[in-house]
Each structure stands twice: as structure tokens, then as C-alpha cells.
Amino acid sequence: MTKTLDVDIWTPIKIGDCRLTHRVVLAPLTRNRGSASEKHPLTWVPNDLMKKYYVERATPGGLLITEATPVSVRASGLFGIPGNFTDEQLEGWRFIVSAVHEKGGFIFSQLWHQGRTTHSALIGGQQPQSSSNVPMQGTFGWNGFEARPFEVPKPMSKDDIIDTQNDFVNAAKNAISAGFDGIEIHAGNGYLFDQFLHSNINTRTDEYGGSIENRCRFVLETVEKLCKAIGASKVAVRLTPFGMLFGQTFGENRLEQWSYLCRELSKFGLAYVHLVEPRFDELKSASEKQETLKDMLTDGEEEVSLKPFRNALGPDTPLISAGGFGPENANEGLGNGTSDLVAFGRYFVANPDLVARLKSGEPLYKWDRSRFYGPFEDNEIGYTVFPHREFAKKGDIFKAQLAD
Ligand SMILES: Cc1cc2nc3c(=O)[nH]c(=O)nc-3n(C[C@H](O)[C@H](O)[C@H](O)COP(=O)(O)O)c2cc1C
């Protein structure tokens, strides 16, 4: 990949084996709209509604990343999310992938393990697993699942780690056999890999804890196995070096650790690395987030940014950046060479035709947070059907973004 500053979101780029004609990417978005399987307990399957949702957001030469999909029952923990590990799930995904391909689009599957953020009742009575026995604080509830305290997770043994890596390899091979153009490992947002990366959760004293290199070992080993299994050009990784999921991920040495991780990841020749901007947080404003992260400032920087990680990745690993992008700042990272592609989450929820709107300059619809996560009886509302749309006025985009 030749790096040039003279790019915008309409400049073609090749990532992995995909020749993209633009750089507007659908961010991975959990929407909980899958159907319960009657054949395999505790699993969910893609359906026609999900196909409609993905196809509506597909564009010729554009990249979609699926919602996070569990690699096994044990990796699961939410209703309505199809994984990549049963025959029915693969059949459903194949149907979606081929419809996206017919439209000329590309699609990666995000592979997921929730670790300690699940509940034994949702995974067949098994104890949730994590790096250590440090539980999530608070309670876990969902539509149709009464809130109850998080449980103490089982610290994963070496065998558990190998089994989990095998589940990822299996799910990745399945995804490729279903036609996906690649897979993205979800290694952020406080889920299993992040539970190894953060020193406030990972208290291990073996080769998977206690130092930067050790905390990164689980994800790096998994990436290596995935590259061997399906080829590095089909493997990508998502990281959230600034993430604080519900104030529960606050490990030390973030700057050094994620820089090390990016340096190591750059050696594989991955399809891309996907990073979330520091400003994005479910609870804090962009300025509060900057204040909290100020120990991650590097010399000469006034604001915490993705730049140190871009530098650590080097110029040859494409970087997708996500978090707080809209029409006004879509080219911000591309222009200064920080990132190569831009992923949109909430705006893509509310604007299936986001790519066309960004191109024409038409205003964007606001999102309705109450319809983000299903399952609902009327799953299509806020997903493929938007009965109460309100236009964000031109020039009022940032206000609209904060108004959810
Ligand atoms: C409804 C919803 C579901 C999400 N699900 C996922 C997910 O499955 N995997 C993931 O890595 N991030 C997930 N995220 C984070 C988004 O991918 C994205 O990083 C975030 O929304 C910031 O981008 P935005 O400002 O364009 O919305 C989710 C965000 C939202 C709003």
C-alpha cells in the first residue's frame, strides 16, 4: 500500500484481497435481530430481515463488517446474535454474503467471545471464562433476560486458551467457506481478548499475564493461528486502546501496550487493523474522554489520538478508524495520514443509504438509540423500517450526533 496524503473517502484502496472503490465502511454493529434456532439450543440464525439490512447498506466496492458473532455457545451471551459455528448459521450467512456480493460489495465477519461479560444461564450452565477470576461489576440483563449479578469467571487454563483459539480458527474457516471476504477478531470493548489486555482484569502470573508482552500473547497467538488457517490477507483485528467499557477496563501502560501490539500485528500482513477513536465513549463526552486519557499523550501532542498506533503499525497495514465520524469530519484522518478507511456506526444504523448521502451531501437522519438492540416483537422498526424519521438540518450534524 503506497501512502499518500492526497486521499479522501472516495479514493479507491485495496485491503486484503478486496479492491474497494471507496473508504466508507459499515462498522460492526450488534443489533440482535437473528432468529432462535429450533435445532441447536442457545443459538441464533441469520434470517431474511438481516439479509435486507445488510444488502441495503452494501454498495459496489464498499466494505461491510458484520455485527460481532460468537465462535461457540460458550463465547455467546446475548439474544438474537447468530454465530459462525452451526450448519444453520452458515447457511444463513451464505445467503446474506452472496446477496452482498451480488450488489458488488465486500463483507468481513466479526468474530467474538464475550468472556466474563456473559452469564451461565445463557451458555448452558457453564461458568463464564476470562483471563482471571475478576468479575464484571454490576448486573447483567437484556430484553427477555432478567437482570442478575455478573458471576465470578473461571481463569482460563492453557487448555481453555487452546480450545478457544481452535474455536476462532474453526469459525474463521466456516466464515470463509460461507463466502465471507475475511474475518475481523473483536479484541476490544472489554470482551475476552480485552480481558487479557487490561491489567486491572488480567492478574495472571503465567506467560499470559504480568507484562505487556504476556498480556498481548493470547491475541497475537490467535492471530498467528488464523493467518495460518485462512491466510493473513483475510484476517483483521479490532482494538479499542482508549476503551473504558462501563468504566471497567482501565489497565496500565495503555500507550506502550497497544503500540507494542500494533508493532507485532504489523508483521503479519493483515487485511487491516481497526481502531476506535479516543473521543468515542458511551458514557463520557469527547472532552471528558480526553481529560481521562491525558496520560496517553505523546510528546508534542495536545490531544490523545490514534497517531502513535498508526506509527507503530507502519505504512503497510491499512488502518480503519471509527468513532464519531460524520459528513464534516469523514476525511479528517485520511487527509493527515492517520487512517486509511473510515467506519460509521450510528449514522449507518439510521441511514442505510449513507454512502449515497455522503456523496450527494444530503442531510443524515438521526439514530434512535431505543431501537439499537433487539430482540423486539417488531424487529424491523429502527432496523429496516424508520417510521418517525427526523431530518438533521444541514450544518447541525454534530448536534444531531449528540442528541441520541
Ligand atoms: C448499536 C451498536 C452496536 C455495536 N456493536 C458493536 C459490535 O458488535 N462490535 C464492535 O466492535 N463494536 C460495536 N459497536 C461500536 C461501533 O462499531 C462503533 O465503534 C461506535 O458506534 C462508534 O462509531 P460511530 O460514532 O460512527 O457510531 C456498536 C455500537 C453501537 C451503537
Side-chain angles (χ1 to χ4, degrees), residues 27-30 68 110 186 189 238 276 280 322-324 344-346 372-373:
L29 293 167
T30 296
Q110 193 185 55
H186 193 348
N189 288 0
R238 191 174 218 220
V276 177
F280 181 74
F344 293 79
R346 293 162 295 173
F372 278 175
Y373 306 104

Side-chain angles (χ1 to χ4, degrees), residues 221-243:
E221 276 182 2
T222 310
V223 170
E224 189 176 0
K225 289 183 181 183
L226 287 166
C227 290
K228 279 199 184 120
I230 62 168
S233 65
K234 291 184 165 39
V235 177
V237 181
R238 191 174 218 220
L239 304 169
T240 53
F242 310 104

